[in-house]
Amino acid sequence: MKIRMSSPDLTEADRQAVEAVVNTPNLSMGPNIDAFEKAFCELTGAKHAIGVNSGTAGLHLCIRAADINPGDIVITTPFSFVSSTNVILFEKAIPVFVDVDLITGNIDVDLLAQAVEDLSLGGESARRRLPRRVPDFNQGQSGSVKAILPVDVFGQPADYDPINVIAKQYDLKIIEDSCEALGGEYQGRYAGTLGDYGVFAFYPNKQITTGEGGMIITDDDEAADFMRALRNQGRAPGDTWLQHTFLGYNYRLDEMSAALGLSQLKRLESLLAKRARVADWYAEHLKNIEEVTPPQLVENTTKVSWFVYVIKVDEKIDRDRLAVILEEKGVPVRPYFAPIHTQPYMVKMFGYQQGDFPVTEDLGNRSLALPFSGRMSEEEVLTVCQRLAEALVSAKR
Ligand SMILES: *Cc1c(COP(=O)(O)O)cnc(C)c1O
């Protein structure tokens, strides 16, 4: 039994969908991306869907659409995959981190409210909220708070009712990083539709995959046109192939990827159900292992979209040693997430120190992602749990 960290779920129909595209001359900007985008609008109820070649590209286009300029501030979370912060830095804007909730790993909305208030007061209140060292991105001119970028961590949406209240009060855009939450729901509302723009991603470990790919959804007509233009080298509607109204990118999603995504999306419910079944097996078999806490869901999460299965280990356990022992036993695991503010380039740029975001750091020190995909059997889950129980004995501090 070879246990994998994750594994895409591909069928013969998926393979045929890709093969059908490569039998045509139309490999980019053809009917498949149109159909894939339309399917996303139907699924989520969003007015516009814009396919792109990664989740990161999608988030970057949202930053551009929100008119975020050098020196502007975007409030976000340090407990995420790096790209949610990197896209802010791509525009030389300043990510200001707010610590997270211990249960969900999502941005702490009380701390968020305080941070926005302090930043809007300016002066010393604002200064306290900024990183220790702020690079001079805009010749000494500090910009204003423009947006909030919450992340729906591990498939559980952040707490968007209070986030929307704050955004309205201070006239901020909300960019929802739903790259881990396709199909998840917050109080019956679809993940990705809970702010101004939502972004999904389709890397092979995500709930559906296109190899590489992403999708932006929004109800904002003007932003949608702008993001469509930027994805296609800045060509505005009406531009010819060699006319470029805006500074844009090649963020296009190719036809093979779009065809695969469309085929996968048709099976979304069953893909999510398979992942939920694996999560249930884990919960069942972890029940009696007292040194670990399984993922916890909150009431607002009316549907979780299982992305990864991340446990928290007790403080008495040396998590890194546990990971080494598990790898030796043939169980791949990942410390997940490594806090963004402790990444070398972030420390160098902003002067972050240990202790700056204690909850994120605590989660970063105690979290462990177990092997997870919808294709795991109960036997594999049981094996992981048994080896975990054995490894825990040797990993006590
Ligand atoms: C997967 C992911 C992304 C996007 O990743 P890409 O590899 O660029 O598609 C962004 N944010 C989070 C939180 C993710 O998990």
Side-chain angles (χ1 to χ4, degrees):
M1 179 191 307
K2 169 100 177 81
I3 297 171
R4 292 172 183 282
M5 192 65 219
S6 71
S7 175
D9 188 320
L10 299 171
T11 61
E12 197 43 42
D14 293 341
R15 283 182 274 272
Q16 278 172 12
V18 177
E19 194 181 332
V21 177
V22 289
N23 285 321
T24 74
N26 206 348
L27 305 188
S28 186
M29 305 294 267
N32 285 285
I33 184 149
D34 292 344
F36 191 32
E37 290 173 344
K38 189 157 167 269
F40 258 89
C41 290
E42 279 161 12
L43 178 73
T44 62
K47 232 170 131 186
H48 306 280
I50 301 136
V52 286
N53 54 19
S54 72
T56 309
L59 289 167
H60 184 203
L61 294 187
C62 296
I63 291 284
R64 288 281 314 266
D67 193 30
I68 287 156
N69 295 301
D72 284 344
I73 292 168
V74 179
I75 302 182
T76 189
T77 160
F79 191 64
S80 175
F81 181 63
V82 287
S83 69
S84 55
T85 290
N86 288 354
V87 295
I88 300 167
L89 293 171
F90 292 171
E91 294 306 318
K92 299 218 174 316
I94 298 162
V96 169
F97 291 132
V98 165
D99 211 349
V100 298
D101 173 72
L102 185 63
I103 302 291
T104 60
N106 285 326
I107 197 162
D108 182 317
V109 290
D110 295 323
L111 294 178
L112 173 66
Q114 289 165 22
V116 176
E117 190 185 341
D118 284 349
L119 285 163
S120 67
L121 284 171
E124 191 44 37
S125 313
R127 183 66 205 90
R128 276 189 297 138
R129 292 289 172 183
L130 294 174
R132 208 162 268 110
R133 200 160 60 230
V134 182
D136 188 9
F137 284 144
N138 192 26
Q139 286 114 48
Q141 298 288 305
S142 74
S144 53
V145 186
K146 285 278 189 69
I148 307 170
L149 198 162
V151 178
D152 301 338
V153 168
F154 308 155
Q156 182 161 217
D159 192 0
Y160 285 94
D161 277 353
I163 294 172
N164 272 283
V165 169
I166 298 164
K168 214 165 241 113
Q169 189 182 347
Y170 292 92
D171 194 21
L172 309 176
K173 295 286 188 202
I174 300 173
I175 299 166
E176 180 180 2
D177 181 343
S178 267
C179 290
E180 303 193 344
L182 175 61
E185 288 174 20
Y186 173 83
Q187 298 178 7
R189 286 176 284 151
Y190 216 86
T193 65
L194 303 164
D196 295 277
Y197 326 97
V199 180
F200 303 107
F202 312 129
Y203 187 73
N205 68 340
K206 309 274 173 172
Q207 291 87 337
I208 71 165
T209 187
T210 60
E212 299 286 357
M215 186 69 71
I216 307 163
I217 56 173
T218 184
D219 287 341
D220 182 331
D221 302 337
E222 207 179 310
D225 281 348
F226 185 55
M227 292 192 281
R228 256 177 217 293
L230 294 195
R231 140 183 105 171
N232 187 22
Q233 304 282 19
R235 296 178 184 103
D239 280 357
T240 65
W241 193 250
L242 293 175
Q243 273 179 320
H244 307 270
T245 300
F246 308 111
L247 167 64
Y249 317 92
N250 178 357
Y251 283 170
R252 296 183 299 258
L253 185 68
D254 66 80
E255 283 291 285
M256 289 75 76
S257 301
L260 178 56
L262 187 60
S263 178
Q264 290 249 302
L265 193 64
K266 287 184 184 143
R267 290 188 289 123
L268 179 63
E269 279 313 310
S270 91
L271 289 170
L272 293 180
K274 282 162 94 178
R275 296 175 88 95
R277 190 177 58 163
V278 174
D280 285 346
W281 288 332
Y282 264 123
E284 175 64 27
H285 295 302
L286 289 173
K287 216 167 43 193
N288 298 321
I289 308 182
E290 58 179 57
E291 297 93 340
V292 309
T293 309
Q296 292 158 284
L297 304 177
V298 293
E299 214 172 297
N300 282 329
T301 306
T302 43
K303 183 172 177 188
V304 60
S305 169
W306 288 99
F307 168 55
V308 280
Y309 197 86
V310 181
I311 57 168
K312 293 181 200 111
V313 303
D314 210 281
E315 267 149 36
K316 296 194 293 283
I317 302 298
D318 182 339
R319 193 272 319 266
D320 292 339
R321 212 157 99 74
L322 178 67
V324 170
I325 299 168
L326 282 168
E327 295 274 354
E328 282 166 6
K329 289 176 179 286
V331 177
V333 289
R334 301 258 185 289
Y336 199 77
F337 296 111
I340 296 176
H341 69 283
T342 63
Q343 299 291 340
Y345 71 100
M346 293 298 291
V347 172
K348 194 165 166 216
M349 202 179 292
F350 295 103
Y352 285 118
Q353 293 172 5
Q354 285 294 327
D356 283 347
F357 303 99
V359 181
T360 295
E361 288 164 29
D362 181 40
L363 288 174
N365 290 331
R366 294 198 294 120
S367 295
L368 200 63
L370 300 179
F372 187 73
S373 80
R375 294 182 54 197
M376 281 181 86
S377 64
E378 184 165 17
E379 197 194 345
E380 286 176 309
V381 171
L382 185 58
T383 302
V384 172
C385 295
Q386 282 165 345
R387 292 182 189 167
L388 174 66
E390 291 161 17
L392 280 163
V393 177
S394 325
K396 287 220 166 68
R397 286 188 198 278

